[in-house]
Amino acid sequence: MCGRFAVTLPPEAMVNLFSAVPANDPPDVPNYNVCPTNSVHVVTSDDGSRRLQAMRWGFLPHWYKTPNDGPLLINARAETIAEKPAFRAACRERRCLIPATGFYEWTKDGEGNRLPWYISHEDGSPLVFAGVWQAWDKGETPLVTCAIVTTAAEGAMKEIHHRMPVTVDEENWPLWLGEDGKGAAVLMQEPPSDGFRIYRVDRAVNSNRARGPELIEPIE
């Protein structure tokens, strides 16, 4: 799964990276501890015109009467996304890209303490997660929400967690966004990249109130 991540790219850099038009409500960055229900940067495409906008991380299906009407859907499994009622329409019609600098996963020691690990590209380049999005308008304030697509972990990641985000390489962004027609499902079936740097970080990140660049500093 993916339950926390970090974003350090300035909005201007994201606009240039994706050749996107920025919206007027970008989330604050850098954010070294992006948590569920936070506002995150998301790239969408409408007839080939890309937009960088803010969405709530935590997908709300159209039948939820309130944001707390069911489970918090921050992830969507690649293996079942096309079948699940919550995600199947979004998988066909509302795919998006979610940029990140890295993400966190946890193991446990012999005493049951949660030990955080930080995962990023070895070369320092941004991660781009496959996502799906949904507009939800059942409350007083309409929300645009998203979830990160996950797949089975491979390589060194398997030692940390059995799931990981689906990452999309730049040459495949048009396919995932629907700009290159149909066939995006193949991107969820490709083996995950093994070009990751993985290291332990301080347990301070276990708190959703923790902030600051020290959260991604490696520890012995």
Side-chain angles (χ1 to χ4, degrees), residues 72-85:
L72 182 61
L73 304 177
I74 61 172
N75 294 156
R77 294 175 66 94
E79 299 88 343
T80 59
I81 190 172
E83 305 163 5
K84 293 290 185 181

Side-chain angles (χ1 to χ4, degrees), residues 31-187:
N31 187 345
Y32 294 90
N33 195 8
V34 179
C35 302
T37 74
N38 283 177
S39 182
V40 298
H41 292 88
V42 174
V43 178
T44 59
S45 182
D46 184 9
D47 293 329
S49 177
R50 294 179 184 175
R51 186 173 184 225
L52 179 70
Q53 63 187 103
M55 293 188 187
R56 174 192 187 265
W57 183 26
F59 190 98
L60 296 179
H62 65 84
W63 61 81
Y64 278 25
K65 295 180 181 178
T66 71
N68 301 317
D69 204 23
L72 182 61
L73 304 177
I74 61 172
N75 294 156
R77 294 175 66 94
E79 299 88 343
T80 59
I81 190 172
E83 305 163 5
K84 293 290 185 181
F87 298 120
R88 61 191 178 198
C91 183
R92 292 193 306 268
E93 304 164 6
R94 296 184 301 278
R95 297 186 300 273
C96 60
L97 300 171
I98 302 173
T101 305
F103 65 99
Y104 301 95
E105 286 297 355
W106 281 261
T107 56
K108 290 185 177 180
D109 63 16
E111 298 178 352
N113 297 308
R114 298 179 74 231
L115 307 178
W117 298 75
Y118 185 66
I119 302 98
S120 59
H121 272 153
E122 286 181 335
D123 61 5
S125 60
L127 297 169
V128 180
F129 302 146
V132 291
W133 66 276
Q134 169 82 30
W136 181 85
D137 60 0
K138 298 297 190 299
E140 293 182 3
T141 303
L143 296 172
V144 185
T145 68
C146 64
I148 294 171
V149 182
T150 66
T151 188
E154 295 289 346
M157 268 300 302
K158 292 174 67 174
E159 303 298 321
I160 308 298
H161 198 276
H162 67 286
R163 304 291 297 177
M164 65 182 294
V166 173
T167 56
V168 184
D169 294 332
E170 183 173 359
E171 62 267 24
N172 292 321
W173 294 348
L175 183 57
W176 183 255
L177 291 174
E179 298 167 351
D180 279 355
K182 298 181 179 180
V186 69
L187 300 179

Side-chain angles (χ1 to χ4, degrees), residues 104 106 114-117 199-206 214-219:
Y104 301 95
W106 281 261
R114 298 179 74 231
L115 307 178
W117 298 75
Y199 57 83
R200 273 285 318 282
V201 292
D202 193 271
R203 285 193 288 174
V205 76
N206 291 2
E214 68 277 3
L215 298 180
I216 65 171
E217 290 297 320
I219 63 172

